[in-house]
Amino acid sequence: MDLVDFADEEWVSWPEGEFCHDWLMFTLRSQGIEPRIGHFAGEHHTSSRWSRPGSASA
């Protein structure tokens, strides 16, 4: 699978200003994808719970 396969997905991200958020935004935008951030989570285990099938991508 390529990132473009997830172009229409809603994403879970770390809060703005965090390295992981900046990395996600840069990575997706460099592929021509404008991310739709639906949820912010400050902990890895929280974001992984949101990323269950049908919820969001993390």
Side-chain angles (χ1 to χ4, degrees):
M1 298 187 101
D2 293 319
L3 282 177
V4 72
D5 296 327
F6 299 96
D8 295 327
E9 296 293 321
E10 187 172 84
W11 289 83
V12 176
S13 177
W14 280 260
E16 291 183 32
E18 296 287 331
F19 173 80
C20 292
H21 173 80
D22 295 342
W23 175 86
L24 177 65
M25 301 301 280
F26 172 81
T27 301
L28 293 173
R29 287 176 175 160
S30 71
Q31 298 296 310
I33 301 167
E34 184 57 36
R36 291 184 313 122
I37 306 298
H39 308 282
F40 290 96
E43 302 88 22
H44 178 73
H45 68 276
T46 303
S47 63
S48 65
R49 296 290 285 179
W50 275 106
S51 63
R52 296 188 182 260
S55 297
S57 297

